Amino acid sequence: MKKFIMLASMMLACISGFAQMQPGVFSITPEIGANIATMSNSGKANSRIAFAAGVDFEYQINRQFSFGLGATYSQQGVSDDPWTLKTDYLNLPVTINYYPVAGLGIFVGVEPGILMRKKAEFSYGIKSGVVNLNNTYDITEMLREEYPEKFTYDGICSHKHLCAKSGVLALPIGVNYEFDHCVFGIKYSIGLGNAIAGTGVSCTHNVFQISLGYKFNVFGDVRKVVEVDKKDENK
């Protein structure tokens, strides 16, 4: 939350002139970005840095509020040595966006996700490979037997019947900054409910995402807004 406040302050300091969306404007924003994905209750697992790409649709209700709908292919999971869990989702965020000043948007909403890919990759010693999530326990035990002195791992991938659910739900919050149709965004999606189920495992996906997009106005008017403080000008 502190990062969001600091970012918003920096954006406000940089604002001089920009395009403001008018009521009734409908826009489409293709975007690409990077994820720093983590999972709760995953022991000492590291984050997985991966790719995200999608498109956002936005309808401007009035000067301060808009309704957003998106579709993003999001690579998520966790790096849990010697394992990397790769769970990719098609996320469908539905948001309400608030513009305290033109160009700067703050949003919150709900984000259902549909599982598109699930696999686990391991690499330890001379052993490496790709297996289904529910085979991680057997491979973990094999590595323990082969490397008894070095392999002391006891984390999320040590559980039997580990599997990823086909659907997840998250709470997205973040900020967007638009200048000359370019949109820079920062979003943090907080996982709601269990995403990976297994014996003794209850995890949620938490994803910090940075994105860059370009906004196309499909219909509606956009005008340049330059704020001038007349009092300071007269002084």
Side-chain angles (χ1 to χ4, degrees):
M1 186 59 68
K2 291 182 179 179
K3 293 181 179 179
F4 292 133
I5 295 173
M6 291 178 62
L7 179 65
S9 299
M10 291 173 63
M11 289 178 175
L12 285 170
C14 295
I15 293 174
S16 59
F18 36 76
Q20 177 176 349
M21 302 299 289
Q22 299 301 299
V25 168
F26 176 77
S27 61
I28 299 176
T29 306
E31 59 186 8
I32 59 173
N35 288 342
I36 302 177
T38 60
M39 293 174 63
S40 63
N41 299 322
S42 58
K44 298 180 180 180
N46 297 316
S47 58
R48 181 191 177 199
I49 300 176
F51 175 76
V55 60
D56 282 335
F57 305 91
E58 184 178 3
Y59 179 76
Q60 200 73 24
I61 302 171
N62 54 42
R63 290 180 181 272
Q64 288 190 307
F65 290 95
S66 70
F67 173 78
L69 177 65
T72 302
Y73 188 86
S74 178
Q75 295 182 332
Q76 299 172 197
V78 68
S79 178
D80 204 5
D81 187 38
W83 293 97
T84 299
L85 297 185
K86 295 186 175 182
T87 50
D88 299 349
Y89 293 87
L90 177 63
N91 291 332
L92 304 170
V94 179
T95 60
I96 291 294
N97 310 292
Y98 170 64
Y99 292 91
V101 293
L104 176 64
I106 303 169
F107 64 87
V108 66
V110 62
E111 185 177 76
I114 303 171
L115 184 66
M116 304 299 290
R117 183 180 72 157
K118 58 178 181 178
K119 69 177 183 178
E121 296 180 354
F122 72 92
S123 178
Y124 197 88
I126 61 172
K127 301 288 186 180
S128 63
V130 178
V131 301
N132 294 327
L133 289 182
N134 56 4
N135 291 334
T136 58
Y137 179 84
D138 295 334
I139 302 298
T140 298
E141 291 303 303
M142 179 193 74
L143 293 174
R144 279 185 172 144
E145 292 178 4
E146 191 161 350
Y147 305 96
E149 296 180 359
K150 297 181 179 180
F151 194 84
T152 58
Y153 175 77
D154 184 18
I156 187 173
C157 291
S158 298
H159 295 276
K160 293 183 178 179
H161 312 303
L162 188 67
C163 62
K165 290 188 174 181
S166 59
V168 294
L169 190 64
L171 173 69
I173 56 174
V175 294
N176 287 324
Y177 178 62
E178 179 190 352
F179 189 87
D180 287 343
H181 294 279
C182 293
V183 181
F184 175 74
I186 292 182
K187 178 175 73 172
Y188 187 65
S189 296
I190 305 169
L192 304 174
N194 194 7
I196 292 188
T199 303
V201 180
S202 178
C203 299
T204 59
H205 292 285
N206 300 304
V207 183
F208 180 79
Q209 184 180 100
I210 299 175
S211 63
L212 181 64
Y214 190 86
K215 181 176 286 188
F216 297 92
N217 299 315
V218 179
F219 59 80
D221 295 325
V222 177
R223 70 177 185 179
K224 285 287 183 178
V225 177
V226 179
E227 296 184 357
V228 179
D229 192 329
K230 294 184 179 180
K231 294 182 180 179
D232 292 340
E233 192 176 60
N234 294 331
K235 290 180 181 180

